[in-house]
Amino acid sequence: MPEIRLHLADEAHDLWLKTEEDLEQIGLPPPFWAFAWAGGQGLARYVLDHPHIVLGRSVLDFAAGSGLVGICARMAGAAHVLAADIDPWAQAAVALNSQANGVSVDFTSHNLIGLPIEQDVVLAGDVFYDRAFAAELLPWFTGIADRGGQVIVGDPGRAYLPKERLEPLATYQVPVTRALEDSEVKKTTVWRFT
């Protein structure tokens, strides 16, 4: 994603381990917002390469983290983007990264899972990493798709990806942090809920 500027962690492994341990002690989540995860990178690339999916539309960047996907949606012509993430630190990351790229992305920290949404398109990068979280997302995403909304996800083959409800759109090889992903490149597929 050479056209995108992001404020991310430089020392990924040390930051991840230290903050995960420290934050666990006080009940906060790990800093997912500090990294450009493989699913988000693939989805962001897809949005930039296929702007028609967001052009003139209202977009929800779900589990936004750093805001990468929402930023790309705005750059591709989305009329409005709402980044949603329950991590309290993600709001600052989204604001800084949006500003660095000269776009405007709104933010909510509300847990939207299961709620009706107003957006035309839901973009979600790398969200099927946990069984319980995937179990919450599946009926919500399915309901949005069944009501005519577009739900597009980027995923590098996480264990709980519900492939039976998905149609593949594109595949990318994306650079990742070896300390977090055990490789330097991950194959990432962009899927649409059917």
Side-chain angles (χ1 to χ4, degrees):
M1 307 288 307
E3 61 270 60
I4 305 298
R5 296 186 59 222
L6 293 177
H7 297 282
L8 300 172
D10 290 331
E11 297 297 325
H13 187 260
D14 292 341
L15 174 68
W16 185 261
L17 290 179
K18 178 151 181 52
T19 55
E20 188 171 28
E21 292 166 4
D22 293 346
L23 292 174
E24 186 176 329
Q25 291 177 6
I26 57 174
L28 292 175
F32 292 109
W33 49 267
F35 309 99
W37 296 91
Q41 287 189 64
L43 182 54
R45 176 82 269 153
Y46 183 81
V47 168
L48 288 177
D49 291 348
H50 302 88
H52 65 277
I53 66 166
V54 298
L55 186 62
R57 294 182 165 173
S58 178
V59 174
L60 174 64
D61 177 6
F62 176 76
S66 68
L68 171 62
V69 175
I71 290 165
C72 289
R74 282 293 282 168
M75 292 174 77
H80 178 260
V81 175
L82 177 64
D85 202 302
I86 60 170
D87 186 322
W89 299 101
Q91 183 171 7
V94 170
L96 286 169
N97 289 326
S98 296
Q99 183 179 23
N101 289 281
V103 297
S104 173
V105 174
D106 289 335
F107 186 87
T108 184
S109 61
H110 290 101
N111 182 351
L112 301 179
I113 298 173
L115 299 177
I117 60 165
E118 298 174 1
Q119 290 77 18
D120 306 309
V121 180
V122 176
L123 302 174
D126 233 322
V127 294
F128 292 106
Y129 57 87
D130 177 80
R131 181 188 308 264
F133 192 46
E136 289 182 62
L137 293 178
L138 183 58
W140 185 49
F141 284 172
T142 299
I144 292 168
D146 287 349
R147 287 186 293 281
Q150 282 209 61
V151 179
I152 301 173
V153 300
D155 190 275
R158 302 289 184 217
Y160 305 106
L161 180 71
K163 288 184 181 177
E164 66 280 356
R165 284 296 314 245
L166 301 172
E167 168 192 2
L169 299 174
T171 301
Y172 299 94
Q173 299 291 330
V174 299
V176 293
T177 304
R178 178 178 285 283
L180 299 175
E181 297 281 10
D182 294 327
S183 68
E184 292 180 1
V185 176
K186 272 286 222 214
K187 177 182 167 187
T188 300
T189 303
V190 176
W191 307 83
R192 176 180 20 238
F193 263 75
T194 58

